[in-house]
Amino acid sequence: MPRESVNDLMAFLAVAREKSFTRAAAKLGVSQSALSHIVRQLETRLGIRLLTRTTRAVSLTDAGERLFRGVGPHFDEIEAQLETLTEFREKPAGNIRITASDHAIRWIIWPKLQHFLPNNPDIKVELIRENGLSDIVTERFDGGVRMGEQVAKDMISTRIGPDFPFAVVGAPSYFDGKGVPEHPQDLVRHNCINERLPTYGGFWAWEFEDNGKEIRMRVEGQLAFNNSYQSVEAALEGLGLAYVPEDVALPHIAEGRLKRVLEAFSPHWDGYHLYYPSRRQSSPAFVALVDALRHRA
């Protein structure tokens, strides 16, 4: 196959994966106009339209979908095989993309990377902050981080953090005149700060335990975020009760800026796990990162 054809196909695959000429051009390190020209050349040579372009989106035609599904996996396999050659280097090398929540990055991943990266100068790690449940294969991530119970069964997973509780907190000023909830059911009378699930569109149910029985509360309130840190900031302003990972709230509780309630009903959640498809096992760089992130009690 001529080199031009390989380059054209790589350009097409980048646009198909990103669904955007702008993002694909940035990833390939070329201008958007140059990338658009390359794809048009491929379409002209094949005599078939592969992409439908609008001012807002790029989508695959039926022919483009067939080409994407037909050649994409082969290029992925070539890329994976090239990565296995790094085992012949003295030190692991390669680029690794991980998707994780803001909390997982701050609490688990970043503290460990501060020790890992200086000792592995040829490994580059890209962290994508995302609170949804991305399809890491489709989105071409090397791995993702979720709480253990959320990891898909067909993935390999490694625990990278301990189990942890969530805490219900509010500013002392919030409780003035409203009283303190003594039981999770009392939350129906309180202004609660919701957190939205990006993947499913709904809100988190606040989970509790009472004598071994699970309680899931659908709370109501004036505010909602998709980030625990913003929920804490709103709680600090006295705007409602927040339900967040305990470590996010503890510094403010210690300073007396937040008050914790319903602690006796707070269960421990399954800790964070790094998950990935089996083909990633062959990359020495990824194996080194997994070992560095692994939770050691």
Side-chain angles (χ1 to χ4, degrees), residues 1-19:
M1 180 185 295
R3 179 185 302 175
E4 293 78 9
S5 297
V6 174
N7 291 338
D8 291 354
L9 283 172
M10 290 179 66
F12 162 72
L13 290 173
V15 176
R17 289 179 179 122
E18 297 296 328
K19 296 180 175 61

Side-chain angles (χ1 to χ4, degrees), residues 92-109:
N95 300 327
I96 300 172
R97 298 180 72 234
I98 302 290
T99 175
S101 69
D102 207 356
H103 179 242
I105 291 174
R106 293 195 197 187
W107 188 45
I108 299 293
I109 300 175

Side-chain angles (χ1 to χ4, degrees), residues 96-101 104-105 108-109 112-113 116 125-127 136 141-152 155-161 270-277 280 285-295:
I96 300 172
R97 298 180 72 234
I98 302 290
T99 175
S101 69
I105 291 174
I108 299 293
I109 300 175
K112 295 181 179 182
L113 282 184
F116 174 78
V125 179
E126 181 180 355
L127 296 176
I136 61 172
F141 289 108
D142 297 301
V145 175
R146 296 180 186 173
M147 286 183 282
E149 62 183 18
Q150 298 173 329
V151 176
M155 293 285 172
I156 297 173
S157 69
T158 299
R159 176 183 282 272
I160 62 173
D270 199 358
Y272 287 115
H273 288 63
L274 175 68
Y275 66 99
Y276 47 94
R280 302 300 313 177
F286 191 76
V287 170
L289 179 62
V290 170
D291 188 61
L293 295 180
R294 189 186 309 275
H295 175 60

Side-chain angles (χ1 to χ4, degrees), residues 198-215:
T199 305
Y200 303 112
F203 291 126
W204 280 104
W206 293 17
E207 297 188 15
F208 303 94
E209 281 185 359
D210 186 6
N211 294 320
K213 181 181 179 182
E214 183 182 278
I215 301 173

